[in-house]
Amino acid sequence: MSTDAQAEPQETTPARTLLPLVVPALVVGVVCSLLFLGVSWLAEQLQHVLWEDLPDALGIGGYSSAWMIVMLTTTGILVGIVVWKAPGHAGPDPATVGLESDPLPPYVLPGLLVATALMLAGGPSLGPENPIIAANIGLAFWLGSKALPAMPAVLWGTLAEAATLGALFGTPVAAALVISEALAGKPIKGSLWDALFAPLTAAATGALTTSLVGHPSFDLGLPAFPLPDWGDLLSVLVVASAAAVLGMAAVYAFPYTHAAFGRLKHPMLMLPVGGLVLGLLGALGGHLTLFKGLNEVAALAQDPEGWSAGQFALMTVVKLAALLIAASCGFRGGRIFPAVFIGTAFGLLAHALVPGVHPAVGVSAGVLGILLAITRQGWVSLFVAAILVASPPILVLLCIASLPAWLLVTGRPQMQLHDDGTALR
């Protein structure tokens, strides 16, 4: 064999280069987790007041149709005021932002965090991931560059993103998968594990902090799944592919709904109108279709037989429409957590229609397909779908199901827009 065809051994980074990164990564991990937990706690307290204390004091039902319409519209007004008046307008248009973002100036972060807390408490169908990651990246970049100016500036953003993902999911695995996927095809110095060392340290610290303080759990407690058979393989292939097609319907509609709200031109029109539409959707689909969706997913999973196929279908469609509207009209939030609800409801719909589809298979496959379409993050989609059921045999099925589902979504528009409103590919 010629020497040209022989692979050059990859140099590794010496330990003396990696060790100075440990303390900054530990600090970033703790701070990012605490910021996430603080915003989440504040939103939960406000949600309790808005959806329980206040309607009880007024003598009306907290989840009555009228209250849902009033609260979602009011949330749109409040977030609209923040976006209109806050310095930096609470960050860029969320429709143009994914999990990764450029560091925001410090003066933008308070408005972004207030808008996020109001959104989480008020009921729009978005999660905290995108704005919390953006806020942590901005904070880490600003403080880190001042404290340790010799460190590469780009490293602060990587540490903050990894730490926040670890905090969000309560495990560093998701962060390692996202960072590994982001590094694919990029020139890196040393081995991949060298490049992951500091981000993984930050992610593990963020996850541990969240676990010690918040005790998160994603296992839905679905009925135990035995060893798979050929019927389970067919089920997971069909459900995941169908869910991916359903998710792509929302992706293709996204530029048009975003453009429709864009014609209103002002946040004090876009967000209140969006809130009103979300309130109407909530009244149609019921209170389980509100909020980011994790608590509501647990409610569905506790009783997979508790709703009819028609009810599961209604919740699936309403939640997908609510995600589309909330992401289009300017609410600050992410799309992963509501997509989990959509995939869960879709998987339980498959179980309701065909009882032979095991609930764990339906839920994990539905979540996988929807997340592949919405996020275009293959590893994260597999990870989230797998941890919901905590069953090793499911992971084998999901890996197989991801292949046809990926063929349905790859190369097509994403649920993220360019600044000019065109779809990102």
Side-chain angles (χ1 to χ4, degrees), residues 299-388:
L300 291 182
Q302 286 176 0
D303 188 10
E305 315 295 336
W307 289 268
S308 67
Q311 289 172 311
F312 281 127
L314 179 63
M315 285 189 282
T316 300
V317 173
V318 167
K319 189 69 171 182
L320 188 63
L323 169 59
L324 187 61
I325 296 300
S328 298
C329 70
F331 282 109
R332 272 50 181 168
R335 300 178 273 277
I336 291 178
F337 289 105
V340 170
F341 180 95
I342 297 166
T344 299
F346 185 79
L348 293 176
L349 166 63
H351 169 68
L353 291 173
V354 183
V357 176
H358 193 281
V361 172
V363 167
S364 58
V367 170
L368 173 66
I370 288 289
L371 283 178
L372 285 174
I374 297 296
T375 70
R376 216 57 53 88
Q377 296 269 354
W379 285 122
V380 169
S381 301
L382 271 171
F383 168 76
V384 174
I387 64 171
L388 292 176

Side-chain angles (χ1 to χ4, degrees), residues 200-230:
L200 191 56
T201 303
T205 308
L208 182 60
T209 303
T210 298
S211 297
L212 292 174
V213 177
H215 311 291
S217 175
F218 286 86
D219 184 3
L220 297 180
L222 289 163
F225 178 65
L227 291 176
D229 56 26
W230 292 109

Side-chain angles (χ1 to χ4, degrees), residues 87-353:
H89 303 292
D93 181 353
T96 66
V97 179
L99 289 178
E100 298 180 20
S101 65
D102 295 327
L104 297 173
Y107 64 83
V108 178
L109 304 184
L112 175 61
L113 293 174
V114 170
T116 302
L118 289 171
M119 181 279 299
L120 291 172
S125 294
L126 292 173
E129 60 274 17
N130 288 21
I132 294 296
I133 289 174
N136 277 331
I137 288 175
L139 186 63
F141 182 84
W142 177 51
L143 294 178
S145 298
K146 290 181 177 296
L148 295 173
M151 281 187 61
V154 68
L155 182 60
W156 293 111
T158 304
L159 293 178
E161 181 183 359
T164 311
L165 287 169
L168 284 163
F169 293 104
T171 170
V173 176
L177 295 174
V178 170
I179 300 299
S180 299
E181 197 165 0
L183 291 174
K186 294 182 179 179
I188 57 175
K189 184 178 180 181
S191 68
L192 176 61
W193 198 252
D194 290 333
L196 288 175
F197 180 82
L200 191 56
T201 303
T205 308
L208 182 60
T209 303
T210 298
S211 297
L212 292 174
V213 177
H215 311 291
S217 175
F218 286 86
D219 184 3
L220 297 180
L222 289 163
F225 178 65
L227 291 176
D229 56 26
W230 292 109
D232 295 319
L233 177 60
L234 177 61
S235 298
V236 78
L237 289 170
V238 172
V239 174
S241 298
V245 172
L246 177 65
M248 286 306 303
V251 171
Y252 276 107
F254 191 40
Y256 299 99
T257 55
H258 182 265
F261 281 102
R263 294 189 185 97
L264 299 177
K265 298 185 182 300
H266 198 284
M268 285 305 294
L269 291 175
M270 296 166 61
L271 283 153
V273 170
L276 174 60
V277 175
L278 291 174
L280 293 170
L281 286 171
L284 176 63
H287 72 277
L288 289 179
T289 60
L290 302 178
F291 305 105
K292 64 183 179 183
L294 282 188
N295 293 333
E296 292 71 25
V297 162
L300 291 182
Q302 286 176 0
D303 188 10
E305 315 295 336
W307 289 268
S308 67
Q311 289 172 311
F312 281 127
L314 179 63
M315 285 189 282
T316 300
V317 173
V318 167
K319 189 69 171 182
L320 188 63
L323 169 59
L324 187 61
I325 296 300
S328 298
C329 70
F331 282 109
R332 272 50 181 168
R335 300 178 273 277
I336 291 178
F337 289 105
V340 170
F341 180 95
I342 297 166
T344 299
F346 185 79
L348 293 176
L349 166 63
H351 169 68
L353 291 173

Side-chain angles (χ1 to χ4, degrees), residues 362-425:
V363 167
S364 58
V367 170
L368 173 66
I370 288 289
L371 283 178
L372 285 174
I374 297 296
T375 70
R376 216 57 53 88
Q377 296 269 354
W379 285 122
V380 169
S381 301
L382 271 171
F383 168 76
V384 174
I387 64 171
L388 292 176
V389 296
S391 172
I394 285 287
L395 185 56
V396 178
L397 293 176
L398 291 176
C399 288
I400 297 172
S402 68
L403 303 178
W406 184 255
L407 291 176
L408 292 169
V409 303
T410 187
R412 302 184 187 278
Q414 301 183 34
M415 200 169 187
Q416 184 178 339
L417 306 177
H418 293 288
D419 290 337
D420 63 1
T422 58
L424 187 68
R425 286 182 178 267

Side-chain angles (χ1 to χ4, degrees), residues 72-83:
L72 268 298
T73 306
T74 302
T75 301
I77 293 170
L78 294 175
V79 176
I81 292 172
V82 174
V83 173

